[in-house]
Structures are given as C-alpha cells and as structure tokens.
Amino acid sequence: MTAPSTYGLSTQARNLQWLLTDLVEEVPGVNSVAVVSSDGLLLLSSDPGGAAGERPARTKGPRGASANLATIVSGLGSLTTGAAELMDGGAVKQTMVAMEYGSVFVMAISDGSLLGVHATPDCDMSVVAYHMALFVGRAGHVLTPEVRSELRQSMEKTP
C-alpha cells in the first residue's frame, strides 16, 4: 500500500490513516480503499498492491486507481441517494456492485462522507462489509470539518 505521509498530521488524521491501512492490510481480498467527502473530494486512499497473477489495476486519472475509486464511490453514492429519495427508502447505508473481476462496496459515514472498497471477486463479502462497518463506526465521530480539511490538504500534496 502507498499511503500519504502522516508527518505533520493531527492525531485524529493519523488515526484515520492507520484505520484505513489496517483495513487494506488485514482484510483478505481488499485491493484498495477510498474515503470521499460529501462533496466528492478524496480524503483518504490506498493504492492497490497488485500481487502476481492478479488482474492489473487501471491507473488512469490524476492519481491513478485511488482517484478512479473515489470517482466511482462518489457517483454510486449520489446515484443510490437519488434512488432512495425517489423510492422513499430513507438514507442509504451501503451499496455493493459485483462484477466479473471484482466488487465495489460503498458505505455511508455519519458526516455524509463515504467509504469505498474495491475487492477481489473471491473475497468474503460479509467479512469486507463487517470490517467496513468497524471503520465507519470508528471514523464517523473523528471526521470533523477540521480533520476533513486537513485530509484534503494532505491529499493535494501527495504526488
């Protein structure tokens, strides 16, 4: 995983980065993770590791796979929120898209931000969803406006 430097970040921002790193490294089948703000900006991300024999990640976009995942997460969040409004379904809690070569999971965080995970097709979906829920539970109260601003600025400095 390639993560932005935590040098100079607040304790809360470093803890969020640690939680994201833990999610990627500890959950089998997780390729990459992105946290996107309610206005669609990338706050936290990981880059896919790409083990031998895996399908290569696409790296188009300004920051490669991380930016692509953030765009997908933001779009799915917007689409599902609109669908829920049309159907009087209430707030969207999670979304999952299963594809031939992987899955994308999106889970709402309490402040309107979204957690997105790209996983392998053979991942245990219940394990991924469980660990995402743990992340959301731990991160929700920490993503204050100040921390979101700090994370945005650190992502802008990341090459």
Side-chain angles (χ1 to χ4, degrees):
M1 178 177 127
T2 311
S5 170
T6 59
Y7 178 76
L9 293 179
S10 67
T11 300
Q12 294 90 346
R14 284 194 314 270
N15 286 342
L16 287 171
Q17 186 64 51
W18 179 84
L19 286 170
L20 181 123
T21 301
D22 191 54
L23 178 63
V24 173
E25 292 177 354
E26 299 299 322
V27 181
V30 170
N31 288 329
S32 59
V33 179
V35 175
V36 181
S37 68
S38 58
D39 54 357
L41 296 175
L42 182 62
L43 298 177
L44 286 170
S45 70
S46 68
D47 291 327
E54 286 184 6
R55 188 172 167 79
R58 296 181 182 257
T59 57
K60 297 176 185 169
R63 285 196 177 83
S66 296
N68 290 344
L69 180 59
T71 301
I72 292 163
V73 167
S74 183
L76 283 172
S78 180
L79 179 65
T80 55
T81 297
E85 287 175 12
L86 286 172
M87 298 176 166
D88 294 325
V92 177
K93 296 179 180 180
Q94 63 185 15
T95 304
M96 197 280 277
V97 179
M99 302 167 288
E100 184 177 359
Y101 297 115
S103 298
V104 174
F105 303 82
V106 178
M107 193 171 284
I109 300 176
S110 63
D111 71 334
S113 297
L114 299 168
L115 171 64
V117 171
H118 174 234
T120 60
D122 60 343
C123 73
D124 186 332
M125 292 180 190
S126 62
V127 171
V128 173
Y130 172 76
H131 284 277
M132 288 178 71
L134 288 177
F135 180 95
V136 166
R138 293 173 181 155
H141 68 283
V142 177
L143 274 172
T144 63
E146 295 81 16
V147 172
R148 285 194 303 270
S149 177
E150 182 181 0
L151 290 170
R152 278 189 199 129
Q153 290 172 0
S154 74
M155 289 303 295
E156 290 171 1
K157 294 176 187 174
T158 304

